[in-house]
Amino acid sequence: DTGVSQNPRHKITKRGQNVTFRCDPISEHNRLYWYRQTLGQGPEFLTYFQNEAQLEKSRLLSDRFSAERPKGSFSTLEIQRTEQGDSAMYLCASSSNAGQANEKLFFGSGTQLSVL
Amino acid sequence: QKEVEQNSGPLSVPEGAIASLNCTYSDRGSQSFFWYRQYSGKSPELIMFIYSNGDKEDGRFTAQLNKASQYVSLLIRDSQPSDSATYLCAVNKQGGKLIFGQGTELSVKP
């Protein structure tokens, strides 16, 4: 499988619980992005990595959210003390040609989070 | 003002017609422009990208860019029911991250 892989596909949790999502990018891609998408909206940028370095975090990302990419390969996104407003599709994307005009992002299937 | 703006639709066209999807952006420093297609419940899929002013054609799809007007469009010729989806316009700001519009829902009626 040469695409971006995300796990789990669906996650249902109770408010206040912690959740963690995993993303495995396309193997030769050095950039990895996390986006969040709610119904009727476009994907909203959360954060991105180049290799293992986290280069940018959205101002919208509260301190309950943390992301890691420890070996420059897979990445995890953790949400602590989940709130109902965190319910969304969490999308991971990877790319090569980092920072160049022809950089193209390829998305995984996403993790649908429902906070009850 | 949103950084990338699209009409949310829905845009309804008959099968075989030309569908025209529009997008405006606010940052004049934006370098490249992308169109993604997203079927309901699925993730975005890249269908077109354009960097230079003018038109770029790929099969039934044509992307148009006018940097002076900060305007990007996507034309779909000979629209098919299978083209029914949400079309997302995305702009690459310097540094690499994509900023997305809210998407335009397209419905192609048989």
Side-chain angles (χ1 to χ4, degrees), chain B residues 17-86:
Chain B
I18 296 175
S20 178
L21 304 159
N22 305 315
C23 171
T24 58
Y25 60 95
S26 61
D27 186 347
R28 286 192 174 274
S30 301
Q31 297 179 309
S32 46
F33 308 86
F34 301 81
W35 285 98
Y36 284 78
R37 177 175 62 198
Q38 187 172 29
Y39 292 113
S40 181
K42 302 295 185 182
S43 61
E45 172 193 11
L46 179 64
I47 55 171
M48 287 288 290
F49 56 91
I50 187 167
Y51 315 129
S52 303
N53 277 328
D55 295 359
K56 179 181 178 182
E57 186 175 319
D58 184 1
R60 296 187 297 113
F61 299 98
T62 299
Q64 299 175 317
L65 173 61
N66 184 327
K67 289 188 176 181
S69 300
Q70 296 175 242
Y71 179 90
V72 193
S73 65
L74 179 70
L75 301 178
I76 307 175
R77 290 182 299 282
D78 188 24
S79 295
Q80 301 297 309
S82 59
D83 295 326
S84 298
T86 295

Side-chain angles (χ1 to χ4, degrees), chain A residues 37 40-44, chain B residues 2-6 23-24 86-91 98-104:
Chain A
Q37 187 176 26
Q41 300 298 315
E44 173 189 35
Chain B
K2 292 184 179 179
E3 293 189 74
V4 181
E5 296 207 49
Q6 298 179 254
C23 171
T24 58
T86 295
Y87 289 80
L88 298 162
C89 173
V91 174
L98 290 187
I99 304 299
F100 285 84
Q102 69 180 82
T104 298

Side-chain angles (χ1 to χ4, degrees), chain A residues 46-81:
Chain A
L46 295 179
T47 188
Y48 81 95
F49 294 83
Q50 182 157 324
N51 300 314
E52 66 276 9
Q54 188 173 19
L55 296 188
E56 186 175 350
K57 290 175 61 174
S58 168
R59 291 170 296 172
L60 301 174
L61 207 62
S62 79
D63 57 6
R64 296 185 298 106
F65 287 71
S66 62
E68 295 183 340
R69 194 183 183 196
K71 297 182 180 179
S73 57
F74 73 91
S75 175
T76 58
L77 177 68
E78 181 183 18
I79 309 174
Q80 296 182 326
R81 305 181 303 281

Side-chain angles (χ1 to χ4, degrees), chain A residues 1-10 22-26 29 31-37 43 89-95 104-112, chain B residues 36-39 41-46 88 100:
Chain A
D1 186 4
T2 57
V4 178
S5 176
Q6 291 189 247
N7 288 289
R9 292 293 305 276
H10 304 276
R22 176 177 170 128
C23 172
D24 288 87
I26 295 170
H29 285 183
R31 277 206 176 175
L32 186 149
Y33 296 79
W34 285 100
Y35 284 81
R36 176 173 63 191
Q37 187 176 26
M89 174 76 82
Y90 289 83
L91 293 164
C92 176
S94 69
S95 73
K104 304 178 191 67
L105 271 61
F106 297 92
F107 284 86
S109 298
T111 294
Q112 181 66 53
Chain B
Y36 284 78
R37 177 175 62 198
Q38 187 172 29
Y39 292 113
K42 302 295 185 182
S43 61
E45 172 193 11
L46 179 64
L88 298 162
F100 285 84

